[in-house]
Amino acid sequence: MEEQDVIRALAALAQSARLQVFRALVVAGPEGLTPGALGETLGLPASTLSFHLKELTQAGLVTPERAGRNLIYRAGFERMQGLLTYLTDNCCAGAPCAPTTAGALCCPTPPSIPKKEP
């Protein structure tokens, strides 16, 4: 994933309503959701939802597909995985991360740097 793609994706997710839309589509899985179902679930007006879906689509995080008279929006799982991979590629200075328990950091905590006294 190119740096500009990462910036575009992170910028798209850096807004509360868009993050909620994206998370709802991730939860929906490969079946996706119609804009009507998304709007009802999230309590967003159609025009607002349309704007946010356009932004997420341009960032590659959401893909629309026409199914008859409906549009179905799905999370771009490959793009999401690419973003996560880009963000964690150099974790632990390139060394493989150790398996972790839920909520634990994969990299050992670096030694603390002593504070300078004034």
Side-chain angles (χ1 to χ4, degrees):
M1 191 171 212
E2 298 294 320
E3 186 174 295
Q4 286 302 314
D5 296 328
V6 171
I7 292 168
R8 191 173 302 116
L10 291 174
L13 293 172
Q15 199 282 340
S16 180
R18 285 195 290 271
L19 183 58
Q20 290 175 23
V21 168
F22 182 72
R23 291 187 73 194
L25 291 172
V26 169
V27 169
E31 293 78 32
L33 293 170
T34 64
L38 269 170
E40 188 176 309
T41 300
L42 300 174
L44 293 172
S47 60
T48 302
L49 179 61
S50 176
F51 171 77
H52 293 309
L53 285 169
K54 180 184 72 113
E55 293 294 313
L56 290 166
T57 299
Q58 287 178 344
L61 294 168
V62 166
T63 57
E65 181 182 323
R66 184 153 298 280
R69 301 180 102 190
N70 294 318
L71 273 176
I72 306 293
Y73 284 88
R74 294 179 179 87
F77 291 103
E78 286 183 31
R79 182 68 142 207
M80 179 182 75
Q81 188 59 49
L83 179 59
L84 293 172
T85 299
Y86 181 91
L87 293 172
T88 59
D89 235 6
N90 295 311
C91 176
C92 304
C97 291
T100 65
T101 57
L105 297 173
C106 72
C107 300
T109 306
S112 60
I113 299 171
K115 294 183 182 179
K116 290 183 182 178
E117 305 251 345

